[in-house]
Structures are given as structure tokens and as C-alpha cells.
Amino acid sequence: MKTRSILQKIFVPFSAMVAGILVVFFIIEYLCSLTELKNNSVYLFEESVSTRRDFLESRLTGQWSEIITTTEKLTGEIEDVLEEENFSASRIESDGWLNQKILERLASPLVEIVKWNGTTDGFVILNGPAAARGGGGFASVYVVNDAPNHYDRSNSSIQYARGSASISKEMKIPLASSWKADMELDKAKDDFFFLPYEATQNGADTDISAYGAWSIGESMNGQNKKVLLYSVPLILSDQTVVGVMGIGISADCLSENIQMESGEHSLTRSYMFAEAGADGSMVPVVFSGQGENVRGLEELPFSIEENIITVEGGNKFYTSAQSLKLYNANSPVQTGSWYLVGIEKQSDLFAIYNRSMWIQFLLMAFAMLCCFVSVLLVGKKLSDPIRRMMDELRASDPNRSIHLHKTHISEMDELADSIGSLSDRVAKANSKLSQIIHMSDAKISVFEYKRSEDMIYVSPEFCSMIGWNDTSPDSITAADFRERMISKFGDDAFEKEHIFETNGDSGSCYMRLTQKQEDHVLLGVLVDITREVQEKMRVEYERDNDALTGLMNRRAFERNIIELFARTEKIEAGVFLAWDLDNLKHFNDTYGHNTGDDYIIALAGCLKKNNSTRIFSARRSGDEFVTFAYGDTKEEVMAYVEKIWKDARATEFLLPDGQMRRIQISMGMAWYPEHTRAPEELAAYADFALYQVKHGTKGTSAVFDPKLYGEKQ
């Protein structure tokens, strides 16, 4: 019978039919509907950014008008102080005492405007020296509000960052960690003061709002976070400019304000509030939203006219930059433009468009399926021989040579011959490989598991290496193999690498089972890694333990302390103990260093005996030891300490002359959290207490005395 190619029998009519369907779908759907859908996605995106821009602009300019009213109140207070003290306004430039009196009057209304106005920062800066000596900066009051959206009568959410400490004390406002008594300003970068102040000196406009300046700075609370500042000059009734008053909105608060617009909630879109320079480049101030993270950019490489950027990794983003009108048209202090930039990954922005494209592809696939059905109905008689060959292939034993019947289709007959030849070579190769593995010293075993055919092959050593001593490679079935694997490794037995311990002829052994899925066949390699694991365990022990005493060394102790203090919720009360053996030099000089080592080992044995889940000790160096104990109450921890102290003082060691001597020790203690919460400070305090004992009465213990420590510093 003459054989024919499958390509000759079915490919030509099939390809012609599919090509016609593809051309029709491309012309009708892609060139017509999908392009319009893509344009609509861009329009809706830009409308969303515009809406948020309008909302943010309204919030910022609303806070602007509020500060103008407060400024008028503050200038009135300044004039009242000048009148009471019978001073002219020019005195402010040189009199620190007068500036202190003025700021005492201005602090309270400044705090109120910060709390009521929903801002995070508020400040008043006078053009004169601070009352504090030696500062050399401007007289000022700068407060930071940690809860801008909640009014608090007690001022508990306010921090005092700049200004006289007496004002902070009087208003019961805590000092910030970065507090200073005065304000040091740099004309090159502190635009929030110099822009409105100098513009007022040179301008003729009497409207304070005309000199209001927006700028970017850092909040004075010590957290190095960006803050958007708006400041206006303080102009007295005689047009004398005496300083600047302003508010600030932190990056976090500004981000919340951007998110407060409720008309759209995209999980893929980010917004950037930015300042644009004269060259059109954007300087980011704050990012907001839940879109893909592009915050790593220090300066976006695109101008405001462009709407496509590419970030590291090749991801493309679509942007829309909307200008915010924060200044009057002829404002003398305007130095840049402010923008709200919407940023969305192109794949997310055009998700509906892309989904529609996939739908079209699925429709085309459906059309192709129809073509396939038609071809299969026509060519069923041609496919029957191929089907019979596939059935023979599935039923064949993979461990034996495969011989398939002829189909009288040239390509398939050639394939059948190739499969038979290949199976012969594979069988021979498997036999040789098994012999090589068996002859080698390395303990390696393999398996092959065909789930779809429910067949299993394991090498001869597999069962003994994995610990299945009740069965053999020849008798194990696929069902038995699957059941045993799940019983040993759980439901994910066939999904990841497993490292486990088993019992071998010479004791405990460690095995690593590595698996790889290929189509419906799972391949596995079992390797004995006992030497590797034992070597790793030995290295880790030598790294973390003192060779002489067996206790933890200093590095391991510090690592445990850091890990424990990272979960301080576990520690209600704790104590750091610093130990020192007394008279070690005497024993070394009198009896030799071996006796000195016995002296050290005796104390180490006592500490080791008292170690538990809540007590651990280490040899720090020489005759110095450290212990940390913690518990639920201080009384519980103190009981630990008393027991260790009692046991240590009762510990004896043997001298070369046969006498037993009790060890003599000194100890210093520092309590957590009573003395400090920082581990490094806790260790230093315990050492200080030990130092007092060593220079006082040796052989006793002492608790850290903060007062004495302060006197020594």
C-alpha cells in the first residue's frame, strides 16, 4: 500500500480555512472597535487625574486662606507686645529677650491653627536672634502635629521642634528628638523663609496673600521626611516686615489628602505630587496610591508634554501631568510649577483593551476548533492508524525495548522505528548508569514516576536509602509509592525538595530528595548528604561556642540578644548580669594557667547548669561572663538571679595541692525596662555596676545606679 504524508492529506485545506477566518477577524474587530476602546481608557485615566487635581487644589488653597486670618491675629499680638514694652519693631532684629516675649504670645494661637487646620507643621520665625545664648539662629517656634486629622485639647499629639524650652514647658508640649532652641536657616535652600520675607521687602502689594510661597523642606521632628510648606510674611500695620508664619503638610498627610477623593479607587494607579523646574523635569515630593512602585526614581526622565516613561526593568508607564494653580497670576514669589501626575502601568491601563484582544484570539481559536472538527470528521479514517500506534506506545513497558506496528504513513513509520531504536539505547544506558552508581562510593538513587500511566521505576538502593526497609524496588507499585511518599512528606510530597533524617547502618543519616516535573513524568534523585550536614553542624558549633567552656561566645550571645529584643513583646521583665572572677591572676601566677582555666571552667559550669529557655549565658572574654534572664515579672527574674548567685558562690574547684576552693565572683546588674530598653545600653549599665563592685568590695553584687552613672559621665 502506497504511504502518504499527513501534511499532504490535511494541511492544505486546513491552513486555507484558518487564514480566511484570521483575515476577517483582524479587519472587522481590530481596526474598528479595539482602537476606540484604547482611546477611551486614556480619556478616563486623564479625567480621573484631573478630578483628583481639582480636589487637592481645593484643599491646599483652602488651607492657604485660613493662614491669612491667623497671620492678622499674630501681627496684632506682636504689636501689643511692642506697645506694652514700649519698643519699636526694629528692636526685633537685635533683642533676643523681646523676641522671647513675642513668641510666648504667638505659640498658643500657632498650636491651635495647626490642630484645627488639619496640617502637620506650623511655625513662626522672627527676623531676629533667639533668646537662647550661643545658638546664633533666628528666634522661632516650630511645632509638629502627629495626628493632623484629630483635634486634641491636651496637645498630646504635638511635638515642640524649635523654640525656647520654657514655652514647651508652659504649654505642656513634649520636645521633639531633634529639638533646638533656635532656627538655623540657609538662604540657598530655605525658601519658606527668605522668599516671602524678601519679596515683601521689595514689593508694593499690601495683600499678604500675594507673597505667600509654596516650597519643599524637611520636617523639624527629626524623621527626615519631606513636607510641603506654605509661608506668608508677618507685616505690621506700619508695613514693617518682622518675620514669617507658615504651615506644613507632611508627605504622609499629603498622600492621605490625595487619597481622600472618593470618585475612583484604582488598585493599579499611583499619583505623584511634584514640582516642575524650568526644563520641565519633575522633582517628586510624595507618591500616593496602590499602583506599581516607581518610588525609586529621584527624577522622572520625561517632560510635562510627554506621557510615556520607561523605568528600570523595561516596564512602561502611562502618565498624565495636571497643573495645580497655587499662585496668583502675578505672584512675586512663584519659582516653579506644581503638578499632580497620574502614573499607571500600560498593561493595567489597557487591561480591558488587552482582555478584548484575548477574547478575539479565543474567538479565532474557536473558529479554528470548528475547522479541526471538520477536518477530523473527514480524515477520521486517516487518524485511526496513528491512534493505534499511540495506544501501543502507552501500553509498552518503559524498561524494555519498544516495537510498534506499521501505520503505512511514512512520517509515523519513521517515528516508530526511531522510538524503537531509542528505547534500545536508553535501556542499555540505564543499565550501565545503574552499574556505575552502584560501583561508586557516592550514595545516589533515582526514581521515575509516571502519574498518567500509574507506573513507577526506582533504582535498587532507593528503598533502603529513604528508609523503606519493609519493601524492595522490584515489589513496590505506583500506588504503594504514592501512599508512602505522602505519608512521609505530606501533601506536598511531589512538589518541592526534601531534606530529612533517617537511620542507616552507622546511625543517623541525612538525605536530600530533589524532584523535577516534566509533562506527566516526575523524576527524582536521592543523595546521601550526611557528611555535608555534619560538617555544617560542626562549623556552626565552633562558630558560636567558646572552645574552653562550651558556653556561647560573645558573637553568638549578641546575636541572640538582638533577635530576642526584636520581639520585645516576649519580655515583660529582664536583667543583664555581668560576671567577673576575682583573683584569677593570683591563681595563674601561683598554680599556673591550667589552674586558671579550671577556675574559669568552674564558673562556666555553674552558668551552663542554670541555662534554660529564659536564661542564657556566654563567656565574653578572659574571666568575664554575661547572662541575660527574663520572665513575666521582676520577682520571677530576681528568683533566677538569686539562684544563680547562690549556686555560683557555692561552686568549688580543685587546686593542684588537692585542696578544694570556692570560686570568688563579682556581679553587676542592669534591669529591663527599668534602666533602658536598648540592649547595648543594658550591657554598658551592667558593666558599670560591675566596675563599682570591682573598685569597692569584691565578691559582692550591685545594681546599676543611674544617679551615680550620671555623675561619672
Side-chain angles (χ1 to χ4, degrees):
M1 181 182 292
K2 184 180 179 181
T3 59
R4 294 184 179 179
S5 166
I6 297 177
L7 180 62
Q8 293 174 328
K9 292 182 177 180
I10 63 174
F11 182 76
V12 174
F14 172 78
S15 59
M17 186 181 300
V18 172
I21 295 174
L22 289 174
V23 171
V24 171
F25 270 92
F26 179 83
I27 294 175
I28 295 176
E29 295 295 328
Y30 184 80
L31 295 182
C32 298
S33 303
L34 295 179
T35 303
E36 184 65 21
L37 181 61
K38 188 174 184 179
N39 293 336
N40 288 340
S41 298
V42 173
Y43 173 79
L44 292 175
F45 170 73
E46 293 180 346
E47 282 295 303
S48 173
V49 177
S50 178
T51 301
R52 284 183 183 253
R53 184 275 315 272
D54 294 340
F55 175 81
L56 182 61
E57 183 177 283
S58 175
R59 293 280 295 179
L60 293 177
T61 54
Q63 292 166 344
W64 172 5
S65 63
E66 188 72 21
I67 193 178
I68 300 302
T69 304
T70 304
T71 304
E72 295 173 356
K73 180 179 180 180
L74 296 184
T75 54
E77 294 287 350
I78 294 173
E79 291 179 339
D80 290 343
V81 174
L82 293 175
E83 182 177 353
E84 292 169 5
E85 302 298 334
N86 196 23
F87 288 142
S88 65
S90 61
R91 187 70 174 263
I92 293 175
E93 296 180 1
S94 58
D95 193 336
W97 178 87
L98 174 62
N99 295 338
Q100 172 72 7
K101 297 288 291 182
I102 293 174
L103 293 176
E104 288 175 355
R105 296 278 285 271
L106 303 187
S108 180
L110 176 65
V111 170
E112 287 301 310
I113 190 62
V114 170
K115 291 194 295 184
W116 277 107
N117 207 30
T119 54
T120 58
D121 297 58
F123 56 88
V124 173
I125 306 174
L126 299 178
N127 185 34
R133 295 180 179 179
F138 290 80
S140 63
V141 171
Y142 195 114
V143 295
V144 180
N145 186 7
D146 291 333
N149 296 322
H150 302 280
Y151 182 80
D152 183 8
R153 293 181 180 273
S154 64
N155 293 338
S156 61
S157 64
I158 303 296
Q159 294 185 51
Y160 194 82
R162 293 290 185 275
S164 171
S166 62
I167 298 177
S168 168
K169 183 176 181 181
E170 179 180 353
M171 298 187 67
K172 298 180 179 180
I173 299 176
L175 297 176
S177 60
S178 60
W179 170 82
K180 291 183 180 179
D182 57 358
M183 177 74 76
E184 297 178 359
L185 298 176
D186 185 348
K187 191 172 183 180
K189 64 178 182 179
D190 293 327
D191 293 341
F192 65 92
F193 177 82
F194 292 102
L195 273 180
Y197 184 85
E198 294 180 355
T200 310
Q201 300 282 356
N202 301 325
D205 200 326
T206 59
D207 183 8
I208 296 177
S209 63
Y211 303 102
W214 294 92
S215 59
I216 299 300
E218 288 186 358
S219 182
M220 301 295 174
N221 62 355
Q223 298 181 3
N224 296 325
K225 290 187 175 181
K226 287 185 178 180
V227 59
L228 178 64
L229 301 171
Y230 177 71
S231 52
V232 295
L234 293 172
I235 306 176
L236 302 183
S237 57
D238 61 356
Q239 301 304 307
T240 300
V241 185
V242 296
V244 167
M245 182 266 178
I247 54 141
I249 308 169
S250 71
D252 292 341
C253 183
L254 189 58
S255 176
E256 291 178 4
N257 274 273
I258 296 174
Q259 287 298 309
M260 286 175 65
E261 201 287 311
S262 59
E264 167 268 331
H265 298 282
S266 173
L267 299 179
T268 62
R269 190 168 299 163
S270 293
Y271 293 88
M272 177 186 71
F273 182 78
E275 182 180 14
D279 61 350
S281 61
M282 297 290 182
V283 179
V285 178
V286 64
F287 284 87
S288 178
Q290 302 181 28
E292 182 157 345
N293 189 354
V294 293
R295 294 166 177 78
L297 300 174
E298 296 181 357
E299 182 172 300
L300 298 183
F302 66 96
S303 67
I304 59 176
E305 291 82 16
E306 298 173 336
N307 58 10
I308 299 293
I309 58 171
T310 302
V311 299
E312 184 177 355
N315 290 326
K316 289 189 176 182
F317 290 82
Y318 194 95
T319 65
S320 176
Q322 303 284 343
S323 174
L324 284 85
K325 298 180 180 179
L326 303 182
Y327 288 105
N328 294 331
N330 299 318
S331 174
V333 296
Q334 182 173 359
T335 58
S337 301
W338 301 91
Y339 286 85
L340 181 66
V341 183
I343 307 173
E344 187 164 9
K345 196 174 180 181
Q346 279 191 325
S347 59
D348 294 325
L349 178 62
F350 303 129
I352 298 177
Y353 165 80
N354 294 332
R355 192 179 302 118
S356 299
M357 288 284 292
W358 277 107
I359 291 174
Q360 303 310 315
F361 285 126
L362 291 175
L363 290 174
M364 287 186 284
F366 176 76
M368 287 188 290
L369 180 61
C370 293
C371 296
F372 275 121
V373 171
S374 300
V375 172
L376 289 174
L377 291 175
V378 174
K380 184 178 182 302
K381 186 176 180 180
L382 300 176
S383 64
D384 287 341
I386 301 174
R387 177 63 59 188
R388 286 194 296 269
M389 189 189 74
M390 292 174 62
D391 293 339
E392 289 179 350
L393 189 59
R394 290 194 184 98
S396 60
D397 187 351
N399 299 315
R400 297 182 180 181
S401 298
I402 300 173
H403 300 283
L404 303 174
H405 293 86
K406 297 293 184 179
T407 63
H408 302 290
I409 300 174
S410 60
E411 288 87 349
M412 298 307 300
D413 287 343
E414 291 177 7
L415 177 61
D417 293 338
S418 299
I419 291 174
S421 176
L422 178 62
S423 67
D424 290 338
R425 294 197 300 271
V426 169
K428 293 178 181 179
N430 284 340
S431 177
K432 292 181 180 179
L433 180 60
S434 297
Q435 294 176 15
I436 292 172
I437 292 176
H438 184 70
M439 294 169 60
S440 68
D441 185 49
K443 293 184 178 180
I444 301 175
S445 186
V446 297
F447 74 83
E448 180 183 28
Y449 176 36
K450 297 182 179 180
R451 299 186 184 182
S452 59
E453 301 176 19
D454 203 28
M455 298 179 63
I456 182 67
Y457 165 77
V458 296
S459 59
E461 299 83 4
F462 185 84
C463 292
S464 60
M465 288 180 64
I466 202 171
W468 299 342
N469 297 319
D470 58 338
T471 187
S472 65
D474 296 332
S475 61
I476 191 169
T477 64
D480 186 28
F481 176 80
R482 178 176 178 81
E483 182 179 346
R484 287 172 179 269
M485 288 288 286
I486 293 176
S487 175
K488 188 173 186 66
F489 300 114
D491 294 336
D492 57 353
F494 302 107
E495 297 177 2
K496 64 180 183 180
E497 181 180 84
H498 302 283
I499 296 178
F500 59 94
E501 181 180 5
T502 186
N503 292 323
D505 296 337
S506 59
S508 294
C509 298
Y510 295 90
M511 304 290 173
R512 177 171 58 227
L513 179 61
T514 305
Q515 304 174 89
K516 181 178 180 181
Q517 183 77 33
E518 293 184 353
D519 296 331
H520 298 290
V521 179
L522 182 67
L523 304 176
V525 178
L526 185 62
V527 182
D528 189 330
I529 58 170
T530 302
R531 293 181 182 177
E532 176 184 340
V533 172
Q534 290 176 345
E535 178 64 18
K536 181 179 179 182
M537 294 169 62
R538 183 188 66 80
V539 171
E540 289 179 349
Y541 180 84
E542 293 178 353
R543 180 196 65 191
D544 294 339
N545 290 270
D546 177 57
L548 177 63
T549 64
L551 285 173
M552 282 190 293
N553 56 31
R554 179 172 188 164
R555 180 174 59 184
F557 181 82
E558 291 175 349
R559 184 173 66 250
N560 286 341
I561 283 286
I562 291 173
E563 292 175 355
L564 179 63
F565 273 63
R567 306 185 302 275
T568 52
E569 70 277 1
K570 296 180 61 176
I571 309 175
E572 296 294 335
V575 65
F576 193 103
L577 308 178
W579 307 85
D580 188 89
L581 283 168
D582 298 333
N583 304 320
L584 175 63
K585 185 176 185 303
H586 166 73
F587 287 107
N588 283 332
D589 295 343
T590 304
Y591 300 103
H593 286 278
N594 288 337
T595 301
D597 289 346
D598 292 340
Y599 194 23
I600 292 172
I601 292 171
L603 175 57
C606 173
L607 297 179
K608 190 185 301 183
K609 180 180 66 176
N610 282 277
N611 278 349
S612 67
T613 56
R614 294 191 173 188
I615 305 172
F616 52 95
S617 303
R619 183 187 181 193
R620 185 160 57 182
S621 65
D623 59 348
E624 296 182 5
F625 295 79
V626 288
T627 299
F628 185 77
Y630 65 97
D632 297 329
T633 63
K634 185 176 181 180
E635 290 73 16
E636 177 188 351
V637 179
M638 193 63 202
Y640 296 155
V641 176
E642 291 174 351
K643 183 179 183 306
I644 300 173
W645 177 252
K646 180 179 178 181
D647 291 350
R649 291 171 63 84
T651 299
E652 297 181 334
F653 72 104
L654 181 65
L655 294 176
D657 58 9
Q659 298 183 43
M660 296 297 295
R661 290 285 299 272
R662 288 189 178 182
I663 65 174
Q664 297 176 322
I665 55 172
S666 299
M667 181 182 71
M669 295 184 289
W671 286 93
Y672 172 96
E674 178 181 336
H675 294 138
T676 181
R677 291 179 177 272
E680 62 277 4
E681 291 182 353
L682 205 60
Y685 293 166
D687 286 341
F688 180 79
L690 176 62
Y691 175 84
Q692 298 303 312
V693 173
K694 297 293 287 187
H695 288 77
T697 304
K698 293 184 178 180
T700 61
S701 63
V703 180
F704 171 69
D705 186 345
K707 182 178 180 181
L708 182 60
Y709 183 81
E711 294 174 355
K712 295 291 184 178
Q713 299 304 308

